[in-house]
Amino acid sequence: MKKQSQSSGLLDDVREAMAAVRHGSKKWHEKVADEHQAELAALRAAWLAGELGTRKKTLARNISARLNERGISDVGEQGVIAWLNDA
């Protein structure tokens, strides 16, 4: 019986720990500082309004390059495309 109660305690501990874990890493746009969030929102709004053309891949490369120039690294073309698609 003692083993079962110890197992139950361990099981409860693991369940509690797993509930607190965020599955998957943060997406790049969730890591961007608050000061740049408004700029990202403006970019997305301009894209949705058709102000930035229709070439999503070219736009994604451009956004990625500009963000990298500003020190916001690890933002790739595919990540930007996924972000635009979520709009």
Side-chain angles (χ1 to χ4, degrees):
M1 289 284 186
K2 190 171 185 175
K3 282 186 177 180
Q4 188 177 17
S5 66
Q6 286 177 340
S7 296
S8 159
L10 176 61
L11 179 59
D12 290 341
D13 289 347
V14 170
R15 281 185 180 147
E16 185 178 320
M18 290 305 293
V21 172
R22 178 187 168 136
H23 298 284
S25 60
K26 283 186 173 182
K27 295 179 181 179
W28 69 268
H29 56 88
E30 296 173 334
K31 298 177 189 178
V32 174
D34 290 341
E35 62 200 43
H36 298 294
Q37 289 295 333
E39 291 178 309
L40 290 178
L43 273 171
R44 183 181 265 171
W47 164 253
L48 292 173
E51 298 172 12
L52 300 175
T54 59
R55 299 184 53 108
K56 189 183 300 183
K57 190 170 185 174
T58 302
L59 175 64
R61 272 192 226 130
N62 197 307
I63 290 172
S64 176
R66 300 297 82 74
L67 290 171
N68 284 305
E69 287 172 0
R70 292 176 179 221
I72 303 169
S73 58
D74 298 329
V75 180
E77 176 185 319
Q78 293 302 314
V80 175
I81 289 173
W83 172 72
L84 290 171
N85 286 338
D86 286 343

